[in-house]
Amino acid sequence: MNPFFKKFLVVHGIEYLILDSALTIRKTSEGVNRFSDSPGPIQVNDEVGLAFPELIGVEDLLQEVLEGRQMSFDLKSLSRFTEAGKPVYFDMYVVQDDQVQGQQLIVFLEDVTDRMSLEQRLVQATNETHLLLAALFESKRYIEQILSSMAEALIVTSETGLIKKVNQSTLDLFEYSEAELLGKGISQIVGIHQDLVKDFFLSQIDRDEPGLAPVEIVCHTKTRKKVYVGFSCAVIDVSAADIPDLVYIGRDITDRKRKQQRNLAQSATMRILSESANLVEAVPKLLPALCDSLEWDVGEIWQVQMRDGGGDYLSEVSRESEQQPDCLTCLQLWHRQTPEWDGLHQNRKTQLAEGEGLPGHVWASHEAVWTADLPREAIACPGTEYLVQAGLNTGFAFPIFGDASETEPLVEPSSELLGVIGFYSRDVQTIDEDLMATCSAIASQIGQFIKRKQAEIALQESEERYRDLFENASDLIQSVSIEGRFLYVNRAWKETLGYSEADLERLTVFELLHPQSKPQYQDRFDRIFAGETLDEVTAEFMTKSGQTIFLQGSMNCKYLEGNPVAIRGIFRNITERIRVEKALQKQQKKTENLLLNILPEPIVDRLKLEPNSIAETYANVTVLFADLVGFTEIASELSALEVVELLNLIFSAFDRLTELHQLEKIKTIGDAYMVVAGLPTEREDHAEAIADMALDMQTALSQFNQQSEQSFSIRIGIHSGPVVAGVIGIKKFIYDLWGDTVNIASRMESHSLPGRIQVSETTYYLLREHYELEKRGPIAVKGKGEMNTYFLIGSKSEF
């Protein structure tokens, strides 16, 4: 080699080897050992492949360079490690020795460690930048999906209250479009409560007291519908200028508030009626209590006036039957203390004919009436003009029946109508079936109260009429001694239970009770002896024919000279109601069982509590797809019914295997079957469970073929990884899976072979310890490129 050329190589840090035609080392530079892969120093006459195994297998290329048929041969970015573990990178160039042409090769080794380190750092920095940008984009998309799927309303405002962002739940709740809210003040939604919501939560945040209950306020939708919303608030800093935004989270609590209102109205009605001597005394307390608890602005109560004007149903005992009601007379009108309603008393009518106004409609039809548009109603229904003039929009009136009970509907035309109660509101309110049911119960309470007071008046007039009233009452009335001996029962009691006077002389009340009701009944006896009056007592009695009936009513104690002498009870027969409730419970159980056939039990339980879309991420599951090979051709020769029956037999066998292995069947599509392990309940052996399922599916299909003389084969694909699972839709909803894992599992099936179980490399690593698997090698997978796959043969324990 030229001496000048050697100096050039030394200056530029390049080492070299000289090889003869047999690729044997003839000469080396001093520093060539740091590029060697041999454990010891390079020796002359060594084969070059001992120190540089990269040249093994390329001898033909080196021969071409030696013979001059190729200018050179090079290998880039080869690597070695120093004793300290640091990497050394070098490039290798092989050329012909021009001084000994056709006899020797020169191998140049150039140290490129610094350049490679720089390139790696640049690549790493570029990759990190791309990953960061992708993460930021994904984070933003993820946050947007969370906001759009939130069941609660989300509103972001500036510090001054201007709306900057809303989610879909906000638009749905308040009936606005996004354009109608963005840039507007939050007062458009929360009305006069803007400062209350903001100031309260800012003060709590300043005091650093987390976990406080939300502020519950009344809001109005775009169409003036009233909704109750529980708002919580948080402050977020969004700029270096330290100007915060306010984030409001609103939960629709309308149903809960209305339920509370209905319960409050019923309890208030019961309390007021129990404390009042008659309806005239109760009405001034009853109307304000009902309007306040149910949040109506105006309330009226009307009585049925007799033709001769000499009496009414609400204050006295009803007249003779030939006296027919002629009009409705307003017993009292109540409204909130608002100046615009001061003229209601002057403008209203005090009497209404049948069909006039909402109360007149109720009187005519014996049914409750609801209108959400009083102005329009006033055109077709005279008698409501004074309500429209006061700015009221929604009205609701319901009847008071004299013979109402919890087991009888309140809309029977033959029922004795005693009066009408009406409520009115300036807000637009859609018909509320639960409220109507509550008001029906309230009307039942008032009707029973009226009839009870009528009975008390009659009892005061004559003991005979008192006893006659009991005898003709539809309620079951009894009086027993402190030992339980019967002192008196009315005709309804005897007709319902079937016992004669002779039977009652030798029986006690405890002997007529159902065994499971005796302890509770004895406890109530003891409480009544202690001076307590029980308004709601339920007991199970046995009739003479052996049937069980349920009675509900009130019980109290009669005292003589301070000593208890008898227990009196008034009951009504609620057996039919109990039967209906049990039937409903049974039907509900059937419905729930049907739902469990299409959804996992944990998902069913969640849907009961939050009937919204459900989506969850599961990090480790295994998905199986199976397809019946050749089923389409066989099905074309069968009728539709035969095809369905055939599939049903096969898939029913698969379903039983799913239950056996405690897996979750997702769906069937045509002749394809999809099942997953690891959700909704996570399990570590998800891959093993699916593997056992796949092997059992092959066995089950083989048995089916033998029994039915068919020749089906099954193609199965399996893959493991993360998925998103959830319930989609509001009608005919399904529990389904999404994600790359599902797609790859499907590809494993579609690229598998008939009669084989193909698994991905991911699943292979989960199964290889306990199962026999055969490597298929890389296959081209649509959308994924080449993937290594394996065939599942069986459990190692079987071999």
Side-chain angles (χ1 to χ4, degrees):
M1 181 183 294
N2 190 310
F4 173 78
F5 196 38
K6 292 182 180 180
K7 291 182 179 180
F8 177 79
L9 296 178
V10 171
V11 171
H12 289 81
I14 298 176
E15 305 296 337
Y16 66 89
L17 294 167
I18 296 179
L19 309 178
D20 61 15
S21 59
L23 302 183
T24 300
I25 298 174
R26 292 304 181 188
K27 190 174 184 180
T28 68
S29 61
E30 294 181 359
V32 76
N33 283 311
R34 61 193 180 100
F35 300 118
S36 171
D37 193 40
S38 61
I42 297 175
Q43 301 292 331
V44 176
N45 295 327
D46 285 348
E47 292 184 3
V48 71
L50 296 177
F52 296 94
E54 292 86 356
L55 295 178
I56 297 175
V58 296
E59 290 84 353
D60 293 342
L61 296 176
L62 297 178
Q63 189 65 35
E64 290 182 1
V65 175
L66 186 66
E67 296 174 358
R69 289 183 288 123
Q70 183 171 316
M71 293 294 296
S72 64
F73 171 76
D74 58 78
L75 294 173
K76 301 288 187 178
S77 303
L78 304 179
S79 64
R80 298 286 187 266
F81 288 91
T82 66
E83 293 181 357
K86 293 184 178 181
V88 175
Y89 298 95
F90 63 95
D91 292 344
M92 177 184 293
Y93 305 93
V94 182
V95 298
Q96 185 187 62
D97 189 347
D98 53 359
Q99 294 183 354
V100 190
Q101 189 171 7
Q103 299 296 323
Q104 291 182 346
L105 292 174
I106 301 176
V107 180
F108 296 105
L109 306 173
E110 181 182 5
D111 190 336
V112 294
T113 302
D114 292 341
R115 187 189 72 194
M116 288 298 297
S117 297
L118 178 60
E119 288 179 357
Q120 288 178 353
R121 288 196 296 271
L122 289 174
V123 171
Q124 182 177 357
T126 302
N127 290 339
E128 289 175 352
T129 302
H130 286 308
L131 290 173
L132 179 59
L133 291 175
L136 289 174
F137 175 78
E138 183 62 24
S139 176
K140 181 178 179 182
R141 186 186 65 83
Y142 182 67
I143 292 174
E144 290 293 337
Q145 288 182 341
I146 291 176
L147 296 183
S148 63
S149 62
M150 282 178 60
E152 293 81 6
L154 179 138
I155 307 168
V156 181
T157 74
S158 65
E159 190 180 23
T160 59
L162 294 181
I163 297 175
K164 301 174 68 174
K165 186 174 184 60
V166 295
N167 68 347
Q168 186 60 43
S169 294
T170 303
L171 306 180
D172 295 339
L173 177 60
F174 297 105
E175 301 177 345
Y176 288 98
S177 67
E178 189 174 36
E180 290 172 324
L181 291 180
L182 295 183
K184 306 297 191 303
I186 194 174
S187 58
Q188 185 165 337
I189 291 178
V190 300
I192 62 175
H193 303 290
Q194 175 184 358
D195 293 336
L196 172 66
V197 174
K198 175 182 174 183
D199 294 343
F200 173 79
F201 281 102
L202 289 181
S203 65
Q204 302 309 318
I205 292 171
D206 290 341
R207 293 205 298 266
D208 194 20
E209 297 180 6
L212 296 173
V215 170
E216 298 180 355
I217 61 175
V218 178
C219 301
H220 291 85
T221 67
K222 181 181 178 181
T223 57
R224 293 299 300 166
K225 293 179 184 176
K226 183 164 62 177
V227 293
Y228 298 87
V229 183
F231 272 108
S232 58
C233 179
V235 177
I236 56 174
D237 296 324
V238 295
S239 68
D242 198 24
I243 301 176
D245 280 351
L246 300 179
V247 178
Y248 297 91
I249 304 295
R251 180 183 293 273
D252 185 359
I253 58 172
T254 303
D255 290 341
R256 175 169 64 82
K257 289 293 290 186
R258 286 180 175 171
K259 184 177 181 180
Q260 292 174 351
Q261 292 170 355
R262 293 190 291 269
N263 292 338
L264 181 61
Q266 286 186 287
S267 62
T269 300
M270 184 179 298
R271 176 180 54 80
I272 292 171
L273 293 179
S274 66
E275 295 173 352
S276 302
N278 52 57
L279 193 65
V280 175
E281 180 183 329
V283 164
K285 305 174 186 177
L286 195 59
L287 280 179
L290 291 176
C291 288
D292 282 340
S293 58
L294 297 175
E295 294 193 357
W296 291 79
D297 299 317
V298 178
E300 297 176 329
I301 186 166
W302 299 76
Q303 62 180 343
V304 178
Q305 185 73 39
M306 303 304 296
R307 176 182 298 175
D308 61 2
D312 58 70
Y313 278 104
L314 297 185
S315 58
E316 298 182 8
V317 182
S318 46
R319 307 295 181 181
E320 298 300 326
S321 60
E322 65 270 10
Q323 292 178 310
Q324 298 299 320
D326 184 55
C327 66
L328 286 176
T329 300
C330 187
L331 190 63
Q332 186 169 11
L333 179 144
W334 179 91
H335 62 78
R336 300 188 187 278
Q337 296 300 319
T338 305
E340 62 187 289
W341 291 334
D342 290 341
L344 279 172
H345 291 278
Q346 290 76 24
N347 298 331
R348 71 187 176 97
K349 286 187 175 184
T350 57
Q351 290 187 334
L352 295 174
E354 186 173 342
E356 188 177 11
L358 292 187
H361 271 309
V362 174
W363 182 20
S365 64
H366 279 54
E367 296 181 356
V369 174
W370 183 296
T371 176
D373 193 348
L374 278 173
R376 186 177 64 180
E377 187 73 20
I379 299 175
C381 179
T384 58
E385 295 85 356
Y386 70 102
L387 300 170
V388 176
Q389 292 171 5
L392 298 168
N393 289 295
T394 301
F396 171 44
F398 54 94
I400 302 173
F401 292 108
D403 56 351
S405 69
E406 292 188 13
T407 57
E408 297 175 353
L410 299 181
V411 294
E412 288 293 333
S414 60
S415 299
E416 180 188 13
L417 190 140
L418 303 179
V420 177
I421 298 181
F423 293 121
Y424 307 94
S425 172
R426 72 175 75 195
D427 295 319
V428 176
Q429 299 191 36
T430 56
I431 187 168
D432 187 340
E433 298 293 347
D434 291 332
L435 176 61
M436 294 182 70
T438 299
C439 290
S440 295
I442 291 173
S444 174
Q445 290 178 290
I446 297 173
Q448 292 178 37
F449 174 82
I450 295 169
K451 297 300 291 184
R452 188 164 63 249
K453 293 305 176 183
Q454 291 175 357
E456 290 176 0
I457 296 172
L459 290 173
Q460 293 172 3
E461 293 178 357
S462 169
E463 180 66 20
E464 183 60 29
R465 293 182 62 186
Y466 173 86
R467 190 173 187 86
D468 184 67
L469 178 63
F470 273 123
E471 283 299 307
N472 292 291
S474 59
D475 289 338
L476 282 66
I477 303 172
Q478 70 178 34
S479 177
V480 298
S481 68
I482 58 176
E483 295 84 15
R485 295 289 177 182
F486 287 97
L487 302 176
Y488 169 77
V489 295
N490 69 344
R491 184 168 56 198
W493 193 101
K494 287 183 285 188
E495 290 176 353
T496 302
L497 293 171
Y499 295 98
S500 65
E501 291 286 350
D503 295 327
L504 298 178
E505 289 179 0
R506 58 182 177 80
L507 295 172
T508 67
V509 68
F510 298 103
E511 292 176 282
L512 305 187
L513 291 170
H514 192 281
Q516 69 182 23
S517 187
K518 288 182 180 180
Q520 297 177 352
Y521 201 87
Q522 182 63 60
D523 174 69
R524 295 187 180 106
F525 256 61
D526 296 339
R527 290 164 59 187
I528 293 171
F529 285 146
E532 186 176 353
T533 298
L534 302 181
D535 292 327
E536 289 293 333
V537 177
T538 302
E540 296 177 54
F541 280 73
M542 302 297 295
T543 67
K544 188 173 182 179
S545 61
Q547 294 181 336
T548 301
I549 65 169
F550 294 85
L551 301 182
Q552 186 179 75
S554 59
M555 296 175 63
N556 58 58
C557 186
K558 179 181 179 181
Y559 292 88
L560 183 61
E561 297 180 356
N563 297 315
V565 294
I567 299 294
R568 296 173 294 194
I570 301 177
F571 301 97
R572 55 189 174 276
N573 188 352
I574 61 169
T575 305
E576 181 63 20
R577 190 186 75 184
I578 296 296
R579 185 192 65 78
V580 172
E581 289 176 353
K582 289 183 177 179
L584 288 175
Q585 292 173 357
K586 184 177 181 180
Q587 186 61 39
Q588 184 179 6
K589 184 63 178 178
K590 289 182 179 178
T591 303
E592 184 173 331
N593 290 335
L594 181 61
L595 196 58
L596 288 173
N597 282 332
I598 60 174
L599 296 176
E601 184 174 357
I603 301 303
V604 172
D605 293 338
R606 285 188 57 184
L607 283 176
K608 291 179 186 176
L609 299 175
E610 44 177 326
N612 304 309
S613 297
I614 295 177
E616 289 185 299
T617 300
Y618 296 89
N620 297 293
V621 304
T622 298
V623 180
L624 178 149
F625 277 91
D627 184 68
L628 295 175
V629 180
F631 183 82
T632 302
E633 291 76 8
I634 296 175
S636 64
E637 301 176 358
L638 303 175
S639 66
L641 181 60
E642 290 174 327
V643 170
V644 172
E645 290 179 346
L646 200 60
L647 273 179
N648 182 59
L649 289 173
I650 297 173
F651 286 171
S652 294
F654 292 170
D655 289 344
R656 287 189 287 272
L657 292 176
T658 299
E659 294 180 0
L660 174 65
H661 296 291
Q662 298 181 349
L663 307 176
E664 194 62 47
K665 174 187 174 182
I666 302 302
K667 58 186 173 183
T668 60
I669 306 174
D671 57 350
Y673 193 90
M674 179 182 179
V675 66
V676 63
L679 62 81
T681 302
E682 297 181 0
R683 55 190 293 182
E684 295 182 358
D685 63 339
H686 53 92
E688 290 88 342
I690 286 292
D692 292 339
M693 173 72 181
L695 294 169
D696 288 347
M697 289 172 75
Q698 287 184 330
T699 302
L701 187 62
S702 177
Q703 294 174 351
F704 175 81
N705 286 336
Q706 293 178 2
Q707 296 170 0
S708 60
E709 297 183 355
Q710 297 288 345
S711 57
F712 290 119
S713 64
I714 191 170
R715 183 173 56 228
I716 299 176
I718 302 173
H719 179 60
S720 304
V723 298
V724 173
V727 178
I728 59 173
I730 59 175
K731 294 182 66 177
K732 297 183 179 179
F733 49 80
I734 62 171
Y735 186 69
D736 209 346
L737 308 182
W738 301 272
D740 203 38
T741 298
V742 178
N743 297 333
I744 294 176
S746 177
R747 297 289 187 270
M748 290 298 101
E749 179 272 318
S750 61
H751 290 71
S752 184
L753 300 177
R756 304 300 296 271
I757 304 170
Q758 182 169 247
V759 304
S760 66
E761 191 169 26
T762 303
T763 306
Y764 163 76
Y765 285 112
L766 297 175
L767 298 177
R768 60 180 179 176
E769 185 175 347
H770 300 292
Y771 293 84
E772 291 289 342
L773 296 108
E774 172 188 324
K775 185 172 183 179
R776 183 183 185 182
I779 63 171
V781 177
K782 182 180 179 181
K784 293 295 178 182
E786 287 195 349
M787 295 183 68
N788 285 324
T789 63
Y790 300 79
F791 287 128
L792 174 63
I793 307 302
S795 172
K796 286 186 177 181
S797 61
E798 297 178 358
F799 290 89

